[in-house]
Amino acid sequence: MGQAKRAWEESEANGNIVEFLEEMLRRDEFKGALEGIAKQVVDKGVNSMSPKQSAVVDKFIEAYRERNECDRCTNGNVTSLTDLIFISENGLCPMCDNDREKFMRD
Ligand SMILES: [Zn+2]
């Protein structure tokens, strides 16, 4: 893994993951081990995860990303994990949804 990617993951992405996992917990999206890991991350932070736990979470996020793809930009405009939650509800990412509203107003 390159330095830049690591730095990115350790700064903004971490806050993002906590927010994402918290929302998933609220929605009862987790089963089994994932639920426990998510609660631990919300409680103790991303760095409390073992490499094995981290891999489980990564796998879930990867699958969630594939399941929730923006109809318009195929996630090209997606900048954060919470955008994916927005897509699960609206079919579009926040940026495309915003564009569509503008288009409909004109
Ligand atoms: Zn989009």
Side-chain angles (χ1 to χ4, degrees), residues 46-99:
V46 175
N47 292 331
S48 73
M49 279 191 291
S50 68
K52 211 172 151 192
Q53 289 176 318
S54 180
V56 172
V57 171
D58 278 353
K59 211 171 147 199
F60 175 85
I61 291 174
E62 217 35 68
Y64 194 80
R65 207 194 297 270
E66 274 169 30
R67 213 163 56 228
N68 297 291
E69 200 173 70
C70 175
D71 288 341
R72 209 158 147 240
C73 69
T74 58
N75 291 1
N77 290 333
V78 167
T79 53
S80 76
L81 291 172
T82 44
D83 284 356
L84 299 174
I85 300 173
F86 188 93
I87 293 170
S88 78
E89 291 175 335
N90 301 285
L92 293 173
C93 71
M95 205 185 279
C96 291
D97 190 62
N98 200 29
D99 281 354

